[in-house]
Amino acid sequence: MLDLVTAAREHTRARAFAAVAALATAAVVLAGCSTSHPPPITSAELASARTFPYYTLYWAGPSFAHHPVTAADGVEGYKPQSGDSVYYGDCVSGNGVLGAGGCRLPLEITTAIYALRSNVDLGPQRNVVIRGVPAAIFDEGRSIELYTGRLVIDLYSNDPARALAAAAQLRPLNADGSSAAPLPPPVYCPILAGKRPIALYRLMQRLPGRPCQSADLSRAQREALKQGS
């Protein structure tokens, strides 16, 4: 299951890089082979994301840290197993369209339906409270996973400070909402690997519907059955 999740995430990133690379390549050709940044996303392309019908998508606005939205999956690019993503900026550098040694966009925001699983596959992580919901900071601070509503929001950046700033600016893309408001609390109990600071533990114990208490009870019952068998 974890391999499928990882593969889905890599597939999502590959689609983003391909889209941004195509835009950048076109810009290079038009500029007479000089390295040039791709243009921001068109209104028509963004409209597909704004009318996404399945659940709330999150973004950090039409631009973030001077990087415009350059691609978005929208309805046509949606993959249920990997979610829907909005991409900021590009990988253009003096070494070529995607730069040398791979490509890491300034910011990628992926929104997906949460699948009940441990987040141990994120690797070394720090569990915290961000925007009023449980969150995990991983990838040496460059990536953040937030648990909200029935969704999970993944932020991928090339800079830890930028990742935190993006979390502070998250707001709905296809619905009303503001970055000033807390995110909706999760309706599930996130399965977090690693330590939970007291503030996070208390928050999870107060989630609406008490899903964490129900999960703890289910685990206790399973353990009792194992010991009695």
Side-chain angles (χ1 to χ4, degrees):
M1 178 63 180
L2 296 183
D3 290 340
L4 291 175
V5 172
T6 301
R9 285 176 175 162
E10 291 304 319
H11 178 65
T12 298
R13 292 180 180 179
R15 294 204 317 272
F17 301 156
V20 174
L23 289 171
T25 301
V28 168
V29 172
L30 291 174
C33 294
S34 63
T35 302
S36 179
H37 294 278
I41 191 171
T42 67
S43 298
E45 292 170 326
L46 188 57
S48 177
R50 288 190 181 278
T51 58
F52 186 79
Y54 304 122
Y55 51 80
T56 301
L57 295 181
Y58 285 87
W59 71 334
S63 66
F64 172 76
H66 306 295
H67 297 284
V69 173
T70 46
D73 291 336
V75 177
E76 293 184 359
Y78 173 57
K79 301 292 184 182
Q81 68 272 26
S82 56
D84 213 74
S85 299
V86 179
Y87 311 96
Y88 290 81
D90 56 62
C91 300
V92 173
S93 72
N95 297 318
V97 172
L98 294 182
C103 171
R104 181 117 189 186
L105 295 175
L107 179 64
E108 171 192 340
I109 301 175
T110 299
T111 311
I113 299 293
Y114 179 78
L116 192 63
R117 59 174 177 80
S118 171
N119 70 354
V120 67
D121 62 311
L122 300 181
Q125 62 196 260
R126 180 164 56 93
N127 298 317
V128 295
V129 177
I130 297 178
R131 297 286 297 280
V133 300
I137 299 175
F138 61 104
D139 188 25
E140 298 181 341
R142 294 174 297 184
S143 301
I144 302 174
E145 186 163 271
L146 300 99
Y147 309 97
T148 174
R150 60 191 182 101
L151 306 172
V152 58
I153 306 172
D154 283 300
L155 307 177
Y156 305 103
S157 181
N158 56 6
D159 179 77
R162 186 173 289 148
L164 279 173
Q169 295 188 32
L170 282 175
R171 53 193 182 272
L173 169 59
N174 56 341
D176 293 333
S178 167
S179 60
L183 294 171
V187 299
Y188 55 85
C189 185
I191 303 177
L192 305 177
K195 296 180 179 180
R196 303 180 191 177
I198 188 64
L200 175 60
Y201 175 80
R202 289 174 176 170
L203 172 68
M204 294 178 67
Q205 293 301 305
R206 298 194 305 267
L207 291 177
R210 298 185 178 275
C212 290
Q213 285 88 333
S214 298
D216 290 342
L217 178 59
S218 296
R219 281 194 294 270
Q221 291 174 338
R222 288 195 298 269
E223 289 300 322
L225 289 172
K226 287 180 182 179
Q227 294 177 5
S229 60

